[in-house]
Amino acid sequence: MSSHPDTLNPAMVWYAEDGEDNDVVLSTRIRLARNLANFVFPCQCSTDDAQRIQTSVFEAFRKVPHPEQYQQVGTDQLDFYARQLLVERSILPERSYTERNINNPQTDIFRKFECVPAVVVRTDGRVSCLVNGRDHISIASLTAGYNTSTPWQLCRQIDSVLQQSLQFAASYDFGFLTSDLKDAGSGMKISLRLFLPGLLQTQQIQQVMDEVSKKNCQLEAAFGGTSVPYAALGACYQLSSLYAACGSEEDQLGEFDMVVSELCSRERKARSTYAESRPTMLRHIISRMYAVMRYSRFIDCSEAMDIISTLQLGISVGLIMGITYRELHALMYRIRNAHLDYLYKDKELNFAFEADVQEHPVLVISRLRALLLQEALEKVQICF
């Protein structure tokens, strides 16, 4: 893997694809936690045992279909921005938003573990495996929009191949044994990132959080909170399953599907209600965000997320034209700090900035973000 592993082909990255229910759902992620028998959990592992585990997992991955598509690397072999990029792509785990500043490109957003983790990642970024994180093995798969079937099948295929070479810790009574009791059983965690501006603006978000918590789910801010209680940056929330011991994987997927279906329905209704009851306020929000995007010289990451979320809302109520949900979803990944740093350092792109901007690396990222948004949203039309 290169020192900056953005080897993804822009034509094949998963987050630039269309997905089901993508007016509400940004992405779907499924993760399977596994641990090797006869080894303690990573939090108690010795350096030698951690290395043995990593070597065993890397060897096992050589037997997956098309092994040449997978890259293997220790996170300590990556430079700072390479790690940040993999975090932004949901390949490496991210620190809690209370522990980092999303607007500062020099803040480390990679979650730290007792062991030095390694990662195996497919070159399209759709499938990955964290080694020696919270558990010995965390197989994960991502897809655009709402689709649990595809990532579940991909995770299960990798899991089956690994089990041919590795003995996983499991119990007849408890299923797969994991470092967190919530993951014991199937070891599966389902996570969605969703735009919920309708529920936020109609002040239903707290009620929804309480309701989903009674259905083996948790709803929380995906990228950070705001000064408004229960609000999320960019109105982007993460919905996750809580306990992996509640029935089979199929049962858990079915129950989660019912929660998502109801949540999407409520969000669409809330958007419609807000557009009908507060049309002037909605037009103000859209106009203001458009003006920030169109005329700013510098745009912070949090501002960019608010802009994208507002445009998402505007499309859904017929007040914005000239851009698709798919394009907005891709922007949510392309306006992050490490991605912009990678673009800036790409010699083929040859960016030129004002002299007073060039002197300050942090300003360069904010300036590049503004230019990227202005180019991507050039054809956006406000329909009022």
Side-chain angles (χ1 to χ4, degrees):
M1 182 176 283
S2 65
S3 61
H4 206 311
D6 190 4
T7 56
L8 307 185
N9 183 335
M12 61 188 290
V13 290
W14 64 268
Y15 58 78
E17 297 176 349
D18 274 318
E20 295 294 325
D21 296 309
N22 66 353
D23 58 325
V24 178
V25 183
L26 173 64
S27 64
T28 303
R29 182 178 187 266
I30 288 184
R31 183 225 64 198
L32 296 179
R34 301 287 187 260
N35 288 281
L36 303 190
N38 304 318
F39 286 95
V40 297
F41 292 131
C43 61
Q44 297 293 326
C45 258
S46 67
T47 301
D48 287 344
D49 279 348
Q51 184 59 51
R52 288 171 61 195
I53 291 165
Q54 177 181 312
T55 300
S56 297
V57 175
F58 281 6
E59 287 288 337
F61 259 93
R62 294 182 181 178
K63 300 178 182 179
V64 301
H66 305 291
E68 72 281 358
Q69 296 180 359
Y70 291 84
Q71 300 183 67
Q72 306 170 344
V73 67
T75 56
D76 57 343
Q77 297 175 326
L78 300 171
D79 65 29
F80 174 81
Y81 283 103
R83 287 194 301 272
Q84 308 309 296
L85 184 67
L86 292 181
V87 173
E88 292 177 359
R89 299 281 173 82
S90 299
I91 292 168
L92 290 178
E94 187 166 8
R95 284 185 175 184
S96 166
Y97 62 79
T98 60
E99 301 174 341
R100 42 85 174 150
N101 180 0
I102 199 170
N103 288 323
N104 185 351
Q106 297 175 344
T107 298
D108 190 357
I109 61 174
F110 173 49
R111 180 182 171 185
K112 298 300 187 293
F113 297 93
E114 287 79 0
C115 292
V116 177
V119 66
V120 182
V121 58
R122 205 168 77 177
T123 51
D124 61 359
R126 192 182 299 276
V127 181
S128 64
C129 178
L130 183 69
V131 184
N132 287 328
R134 178 185 290 178
D135 294 283
H136 296 149
I137 298 172
S138 293
I139 307 163
S141 181
L142 291 147
T143 191
Y146 182 53
N147 175 6
T148 56
S149 176
T150 299
W152 162 235
Q153 292 297 331
L154 289 172
C155 284
R156 189 166 65 173
Q157 289 170 10
I158 297 296
D159 183 43
S160 297
V161 172
L162 296 186
Q163 287 195 58
Q164 295 174 15
S165 303
L166 305 171
Q167 183 181 355
F168 292 154
S171 161
Y172 181 80
D173 294 321
F174 297 104
F176 291 104
L177 303 182
T178 56
S179 62
D180 189 335
L181 285 175
K182 287 192 233 181
D183 293 332
S186 69
M188 182 173 69
K189 189 179 187 72
I190 317 164
S191 302
L192 301 186
R193 283 181 175 169
L194 315 98
F195 288 109
L196 302 177
L199 293 172
L200 179 60
Q201 293 293 345
T202 56
Q203 300 181 353
Q204 299 180 61
I205 199 68
Q206 181 182 359
Q207 179 185 354
V208 171
M209 285 180 172
D210 292 339
E211 290 176 1
V212 301
S213 67
K214 300 172 183 177
K215 300 177 181 178
N216 191 34
C217 291
Q218 180 180 31
L219 185 67
E220 58 187 346
F223 299 108
T226 72
S227 58
V228 178
Y230 304 101
L233 187 63
C236 191
Y237 291 83
Q238 180 155 307
L239 178 72
S240 304
S241 59
L242 279 177
Y243 298 99
C246 302
S248 67
E249 291 90 340
E250 289 76 12
D251 292 336
Q252 292 170 36
L253 290 168
E255 291 173 1
F256 193 81
D257 184 69
M258 289 190 288
V259 174
V260 175
S261 179
E262 181 180 354
L263 189 55
C264 288
S265 178
R266 290 184 64 170
E267 168 61 21
R268 291 173 184 131
K269 183 177 179 180
R271 293 181 189 184
S272 178
T273 299
Y274 187 68
E276 292 175 2
S277 63
R278 303 293 297 277
T280 304
M281 179 58 70
L282 178 57
R283 285 162 172 74
H284 164 72
I285 293 171
I286 292 174
S287 299
R288 185 175 180 277
M289 286 295 102
Y290 179 82
V292 170
M293 177 277 297
R294 182 68 180 84
Y295 299 107
S296 292
R297 293 294 185 270
F298 305 99
I299 297 179
D300 287 337
C301 189
S302 57
E303 289 180 313
M305 289 181 175
D306 284 337
I307 291 168
I308 292 168
S309 177
T310 300
L311 294 177
Q312 175 99 357
L313 175 59
I315 293 173
S316 65
V317 296
L319 297 180
I320 291 290
M321 294 182 64
I323 195 166
T324 64
Y325 293 125
R326 176 181 59 80
E327 292 168 318
L328 287 178
H329 290 185
L331 278 175
M332 283 294 287
Y333 292 89
R334 290 170 175 156
I335 52 86
R336 299 289 299 270
N337 294 320
H339 179 81
L340 292 172
D341 178 79
Y342 176 65
L343 292 181
Y344 173 59
K345 293 176 179 176
D346 188 337
K347 296 180 180 179
E348 293 183 4
L349 297 178
N350 194 27
F351 287 106
F353 295 99
E354 299 85 347
D356 58 332
V357 174
Q358 191 71 46
E359 297 172 358
H360 301 280
V362 174
L363 289 182
V364 165
I365 298 300
S366 293
R367 183 75 177 105
L368 181 54
R369 183 180 292 110
L371 293 171
L372 184 149
L373 280 171
Q374 287 158 8
E375 179 181 6
L377 305 178
E378 185 176 7
K379 296 181 181 179
V380 166
Q381 301 173 21
I382 300 177
C383 304
F384 56 82

